Amino acid sequence: MSTSSSPCPRSPHHTTDPLRAVARTCSIALTAFLGTAPAPAVQFGESSVPITHLADAAFPAVRRQVVRPPPPPVVAPRITAQPVNVTASVGQSATFSVTAAGTPPLRYQWRRNGASIADATSASYATPAAGLLDNGALYSVVVRNAIGNVASAEAVLTVTPSTVTPVLSRTVVRSGLSSPWDLAFLPDGSMLITEKCRGLSILRNGALTRLFGTSGASLVAGDLFCQGQSGMHGVAVDPEFGNGNRYVYVYMASNASTNPRTNRVVRLTLSADLLTASGRVDIITDIAFKDVANSWGGAGSHSGGRLRFGPDGLLYVTTGDNHNGTLPQDLTRMGGKVLRVTPTGSAALGNNSPGDPRIYTFGHRNVQGISFRPGTGQPYTSEHGPGHSDEVTPLVAGGNGGWDPKPEPGVSCADNYCGYTSNKLDGTPTPMTDTAKFPTAMRPSWNNSGRSQGTGPSTFLNGPQWKAWDGRLAVGVMGDMRLDILQLDATGRMTSQSTATGLPAQRMRSLVQGPDGYLYVATDSGEIWRLVPN
């Protein structure tokens, strides 16, 4: 007796009606056996009939039933492994990760200091190369699904200084300029350049176009003149330039007023194509200018002239002492000072000036460099000393730099200026920062080991591309034709000094970090350099 391959046992009742015979035996077993698989069939001669059809025909009330498990419950996300703190060196990336459970799909959004990071939507996030400004940043992630969300704990990024000293590669961006004095960048990367005896130009798409100054500029400044160390000096771009005002500012010697002539800060408006200047407004007109030569130098000496907008959105203006003994400590005249003003030239709030409200600090000799420390925004000045003690000084509102070259009682100096001799009865050189006379004077961070070598421009280097130099102050020492790199501690004191190698011996007049993160240098020889750390 053969065994059937059908899941139903052979019917014990013989019948000539195969449909009823099969259905009678298998009607209940069909559903369990077949499930959702293709139904087997019963053969009748040359025809076959699916068994399910047979069952349905025999017992219309009995239908195949498929038993499916109930759907799983929908569960809100939960964090099963939190992000952990990460330490990275300057120039390295850091990776944060999270593990979460819950009904999929799970969606992730990483945050830095509470703000969402664009395109950071995976279970892990790798930061860009870290810089010192990233130290202490907090990273967290929000995990979401269809019914809820959960935020992770915050993990801390600790950034340690790099020990890799960069090697600089130099490219000459422009040559053939006439005494370039300063540089600034527009939001689109175009470079503004001042030339002391010509005026303001723009370098855009490789072409140099004159904007403001002597004959040949789109806007001629008939009052601009060039004498001694003076002419057109600093340039700065309004922080709101990209929002439509298109304002730029220059510092220039002007004979619009005479007896004496003055230095001025002038605001200009650039055209939409950036190729012409118009709308001149003189926002400061009374900065001291050395109008007449004396025993210590010719007319036009010690005019200062650097312009920089700080992170506070205010304009800082450096001025010089004009070889005038009383000017640095005179709180009514704008020489030997750092001014801080609004973009319209009005005194800024919080200057704490004991005199003219535009004065931010006083008691300076001839400041030609000012820069703002990343992370704190504190301004630092650089200036050359009187035969000794070039200085870098962190500024505080209302502070006194301690320079006072007028003769003390019983002392006589030519033209009442003791800047290169002694203003004291004991004959000691006039101090660059006279802490005996001014005990609360601002202390310098660095004094060039007591040497005077024409220290001028300075700027802080910022970003992981600078490796060990990230956060350090670059200083151009014009007399010795070198670029020094100063490391400062949290209080602003210099802790180490190094000199960049592999550069030509040139007097560096301006130092600016460009929007590409590299250092741009204007030299007295008429060149603009780009220095790239490798």
Side-chain angles (χ1 to χ4, degrees):
M1 184 174 182
S2 63
T3 303
S4 171
S5 61
S6 169
C8 304
R10 185 183 299 277
S11 172
H13 306 287
H14 298 284
T15 174
T16 59
D17 185 348
L19 178 62
R20 280 186 189 280
V22 175
R24 205 178 275 134
T25 307
C26 301
S27 59
I28 304 302
L30 283 171
T31 297
F33 171 68
L34 295 175
T36 58
V42 176
Q43 190 74 28
F44 295 103
E46 296 181 357
S47 301
S48 63
V49 178
I51 291 177
T52 53
H53 292 188
L54 298 176
D56 288 347
F59 301 100
V62 179
R63 295 290 187 268
R64 183 163 64 98
Q65 299 178 9
V66 178
V67 180
R68 294 184 175 87
V74 179
V75 179
R78 71 181 191 280
I79 305 295
T80 59
Q82 298 282 356
V84 298
N85 299 338
V86 178
T87 298
S89 295
V90 167
Q92 293 182 335
S93 176
T95 299
F96 296 89
S97 60
V98 69
T99 304
T103 300
L106 297 178
R107 302 187 303 276
Y108 301 85
Q109 177 59 65
W110 286 90
R111 301 184 297 186
R112 174 189 161 106
N113 297 331
S116 294
I117 304 170
D119 300 322
T121 55
S122 299
S124 62
Y125 171 66
T127 70
L132 287 179
L133 285 182
D134 298 311
N135 185 49
L138 301 176
Y139 289 86
S140 62
V141 62
V142 176
V143 185
R144 292 182 171 85
N145 67 4
I147 65 167
N149 63 79
V150 62
S152 75
E154 292 182 318
V156 181
L157 174 60
T158 299
V159 181
T160 58
S162 171
T163 59
V164 179
T165 299
V167 176
L168 300 179
S169 63
R170 181 183 69 101
T171 301
V172 177
V173 175
R174 189 76 184 188
S175 60
L177 299 171
S178 174
S179 299
W181 210 96
D182 205 5
L183 309 171
F185 286 89
L186 297 179
D188 72 346
S190 299
M191 182 191 298
L192 297 175
I193 303 170
T194 58
E195 296 169 277
K196 186 176 71 171
C197 298
R198 298 184 76 202
L200 176 68
S201 299
I202 184 170
L203 182 62
R204 190 164 189 257
N205 299 324
L208 188 71
T209 302
R210 297 190 59 207
L211 298 173
F212 176 68
T214 57
S215 178
S218 68
L219 180 62
V220 173
D223 58 322
L224 170 66
F225 68 95
C226 178
Q227 185 173 13
Q229 298 173 354
S230 298
M232 188 166 289
H233 284 186
V235 58
V237 177
D238 195 288
E240 296 299 314
F241 187 99
N243 294 330
N245 68 24
R246 298 200 303 276
Y247 292 156
V248 299
Y249 303 76
V250 294
Y251 184 107
M252 58 177 274
S254 168
N255 59 21
S257 58
T258 58
N259 196 27
R261 296 168 292 179
T262 64
N263 290 298
R264 296 180 173 225
V265 177
V266 174
R267 188 181 74 200
L268 305 167
T269 301
L270 299 190
S271 59
D273 63 5
L274 308 179
L275 298 180
T276 60
S278 63
R280 172 178 172 171
V281 178
D282 294 18
I283 65 169
I284 304 176
T285 61
D286 57 343
I287 298 171
F289 174 82
K290 185 180 180 182
D291 208 32
V292 179
N294 64 9
S295 302
W296 306 107
S301 298
H302 285 204
S303 278
R306 198 69 68 183
L307 298 181
R308 291 291 183 267
F309 274 95
D312 53 12
L314 298 170
L315 181 62
Y316 291 72
V317 182
T318 75
T319 69
D321 73 358
N322 297 178
H323 290 147
N324 183 309
T326 61
L327 186 56
Q329 297 292 327
D330 186 336
L331 297 172
T332 66
R333 292 186 291 162
M334 302 303 102
K337 315 293 191 300
V338 174
L339 313 181
R340 185 174 69 159
V341 297
T342 69
T344 63
S346 301
L349 296 177
N351 279 347
N352 297 329
S353 171
D356 188 296
R358 296 171 296 174
I359 295 173
Y360 183 69
T361 56
F362 60 100
H364 294 286
R365 184 171 182 267
N366 189 28
V367 177
Q368 291 192 11
I370 186 166
S371 186
F372 304 88
R373 191 172 192 179
T376 68
Q378 185 174 16
Y380 283 67
T381 54
S382 50
E383 56 185 318
H384 41 86
H388 64 86
S389 305
D390 293 341
E391 288 186 348
V392 166
T393 304
L395 305 185
V396 294
N400 186 348
W403 174 245
D404 187 19
K406 69 178 182 291
E408 293 183 354
V411 176
S412 176
C413 298
D415 296 308
N416 289 319
Y417 184 79
C418 305
Y420 297 98
T421 56
S422 174
N423 64 350
K424 300 185 180 299
L425 283 172
D426 63 7
T428 57
T430 301
M432 186 68 166
T433 302
D434 195 338
T435 55
K437 185 182 293 186
F438 308 109
T440 61
M442 300 177 294
R443 266 50 174 187
S445 301
W446 171 84
N447 71 352
N448 197 19
S449 300
R451 299 170 296 181
S452 176
Q453 296 178 313
T455 293
S458 58
T459 191
F460 280 96
L461 304 175
N462 180 31
Q465 70 277 14
W466 292 106
K467 301 181 175 64
W469 292 354
D470 184 17
R472 298 190 185 185
L473 184 67
V475 179
V477 183
M478 294 185 291
D480 202 42
M481 293 184 286
R482 71 177 194 267
L483 179 66
D484 279 357
I485 309 297
L486 308 183
Q487 182 177 15
L488 308 175
D489 65 16
T491 68
R493 303 301 98 182
M494 190 270 291
T495 58
S496 70
Q497 173 182 347
S498 60
T499 298
T501 59
L503 299 177
Q506 298 280 346
R507 288 174 60 92
M508 301 179 192
R509 183 64 63 175
S510 179
L511 301 174
V512 176
Q513 183 166 314
D516 55 9
Y518 303 140
L519 183 62
Y520 288 78
V521 182
T523 70
D524 282 359
S525 64
E527 293 183 335
I528 307 297
W529 300 346
R530 179 173 59 242
L531 303 182
V532 177
N534 296 312

